[in-house]
Amino acid sequence: MSNEKKLRRAETLSGEIAIPGDKSISHRAVMFGALANGETVIENFLAGADCLSTIACFRQMGVEIEQNGAKVKVSGKGIDSLREPEELLDVGNSGTTTRLMLGILAGRPFHACIIGDESIAKRPMTRVTDPLREMGASIDGRQNGNYTPISIRGGTLKGLDYVSPVASAQVKSAILLAGLQAKNEKTRVTEPHKSRDHTERMLRAFGVEVKENDRSAEIIGGQSLKAASIQVPGDISSAAFFLVAGAIVPDSTITLKNVGINPTRTGIIEVLKKMGADLTIKEKGSHAHEPVADLTISASELKGTVISGELIPRLIDEIPVIALLATQAEGETIIKDASELKVKETNRIDTVVQELKKLGADIEPTDDGMIIRGKQALRTSASVSSHGDHRIGMMLAVAALITEGEVSLSGHEAINVSYPQFFEHLNQLADKKSGSARLA
């Protein structure tokens, strides 16, 4: 098929690359800049499809945003300047845009309707819409507001002390952003495990006071945001694919520059260390309250492990590529407590198992994760699919680097959601003799 990318084995990987800006931080920088007073300048913005959806939505609400590649200027006039959009707010494939924007819209005195693509239409939203209703927003949508299209009319909000059944940064952020609009009232979110804390860190960069402890974050409503300069670190979730590639492609050594190492996101680093990977971390200070480092990974012998519990929220997006990593580790790797994977862009448990089996992996699904038996050579030429999921697509492209036989990847366009330069960077690191990751 003409839309399939033909991928081949790599002899080795070497060199260094700068990972594109963090997707989670890029979204928030645009949103918070839109709510702030003054001009916010964002450097190393991720100009992927998801983050561009965020820009488009806020432009529709009257915010002036200038975007030139990885540099963005947001001319904010405060949260009260947002105006009712004349048309539907289309979030594309972005769950972050959907859920965080619901938190912002919950306190705005106008009507808006959010739509997205087929994948977004299957992702559950009551985890956000239920607490926002408790705070005073009027929300409706398919299945009582569980699925898009979602209609929201914001109103006067009251604070909420919310105990979330899931550890989700999107849920926490939506409630905190609504709480910011509940004047002089306290809003607190408590989670079963601490989820990623980019919202809390960036709110501080914009001059908002946020209190945190191990499992909760709280905010006092009525605080205003002041424009900031944001240098977005490289996205560790994108770096994960090259960290795994460097660990499993023979004789490889690669360096990834300026990667964000926020402690709520470094589960992939802990797993690599537990499995015996040869990984060096060179810390380089912080950008907008986010720690940054250069990461160097070399191929090494790996061993299986168990991945569960409070580690899961810190690597939920990296599990597809961790499953691939486990196929190259001696012994058994068990991933559990990860039922959240079922409500991502795809059901990532079933999809990862289905696609890696095509390449010869010994892997089976469980209710809340998977069991992978290594060390398993990937030997099967096969046609595989991203199923429209960017992280599945990148994982399969990395798998092709160690597969004997040609791998045909369909749906590779999905990778543009978070990493438009992915194949360019893969070719840059691959031994040119191997022709790895090139169109046949």
Side-chain angles (χ1 to χ4, degrees), residues 166-200:
V166 292
S168 164
Q170 292 180 4
V171 172
K172 175 175 63 175
S173 299
I175 296 167
L176 290 175
L177 289 169
L180 195 59
Q181 303 171 76
K183 286 196 176 150
N184 303 319
E185 296 203 23
K186 183 170 76 177
T187 293
R188 180 168 59 192
V189 182
T190 303
E191 304 177 285
H193 307 292
K194 185 180 177 72
S195 64
R196 53 180 72 174
D197 64 356
H198 298 305
T199 291
E200 297 94 304

Side-chain angles (χ1 to χ4, degrees), residues 27-280:
H27 278 301
R28 287 161 173 80
V30 169
M31 291 183 183
F32 298 1
L35 306 182
N37 286 293
E39 184 177 84
T40 291
V41 178
I42 307 163
E43 304 275 2
N44 200 35
F45 171 81
L46 175 66
D50 275 12
C51 296
L52 294 177
S53 292
T54 291
I55 286 180
C57 287
F58 280 85
R59 279 177 173 158
Q60 281 181 255
M61 290 186 279
V63 182
E64 191 181 318
I65 304 173
E66 188 183 318
Q67 184 241 332
N68 186 5
K71 185 168 184 176
V72 176
K73 291 181 182 176
V74 185
S75 299
K77 295 177 182 173
I79 194 166
D80 291 332
S81 71
L82 294 185
R83 66 169 187 247
E84 183 170 281
E86 293 178 6
E87 297 181 353
L88 301 175
L89 295 170
D90 188 347
V91 301
N93 186 245
S94 179
T96 303
T97 309
T98 311
R99 294 188 176 118
L100 271 63
M101 197 162 62
L102 280 167
I104 291 166
L105 292 170
R108 297 298 85 215
F110 54 69
H111 172 264
C113 186
I114 296 173
I115 59 164
D117 66 8
E118 288 179 21
S119 166
I120 284 292
K122 295 172 187 167
R123 297 178 72 176
M125 295 295 161
T126 47
R127 54 179 58 188
V128 168
T129 57
D130 281 353
L132 293 179
R133 282 182 180 129
E134 280 187 62
M135 297 177 79
S138 177
I139 301 173
D140 203 355
R142 285 192 305 123
Q143 293 191 19
N144 197 30
N146 193 28
Y147 298 107
T148 57
I150 288 178
S151 171
I152 179 166
R153 183 174 290 280
T156 302
L157 301 181
K158 58 180 187 285
L160 182 67
D161 192 345
Y162 187 68
V163 179
S164 176
V166 292
S168 164
Q170 292 180 4
V171 172
K172 175 175 63 175
S173 299
I175 296 167
L176 290 175
L177 289 169
L180 195 59
Q181 303 171 76
K183 286 196 176 150
N184 303 319
E185 296 203 23
K186 183 170 76 177
T187 293
R188 180 168 59 192
V189 182
T190 303
E191 304 177 285
H193 307 292
K194 185 180 177 72
S195 64
R196 53 180 72 174
D197 64 356
H198 298 305
T199 291
E200 297 94 304
R201 287 171 184 260
M202 190 172 288
L203 282 172
R204 290 191 189 101
F206 279 85
V208 173
E209 186 181 343
V210 185
K211 292 181 181 174
E212 288 178 85
N213 66 26
D214 287 346
R215 294 191 300 118
S216 70
E218 66 179 59
I219 198 166
I220 301 294
Q223 300 181 68
S224 56
L225 284 73
K226 301 174 188 70
S229 293
I230 303 294
Q231 178 78 27
V232 180
D235 194 325
I236 195 166
S237 294
S238 295
F241 297 93
F242 288 106
L243 289 172
V244 168
I248 64 177
V249 175
D251 303 319
S252 295
T253 297
I254 59 178
T255 297
L256 312 175
K257 306 288 284 183
N258 296 316
V259 178
I261 53 165
N262 180 310
T264 62
R265 295 281 297 284
T266 49
I268 178 67
I269 288 175
E270 286 182 39
V271 167
L272 283 162
K273 287 179 175 176
K274 279 173 71 173
M275 296 176 80
D278 181 356
L279 175 65
T280 304

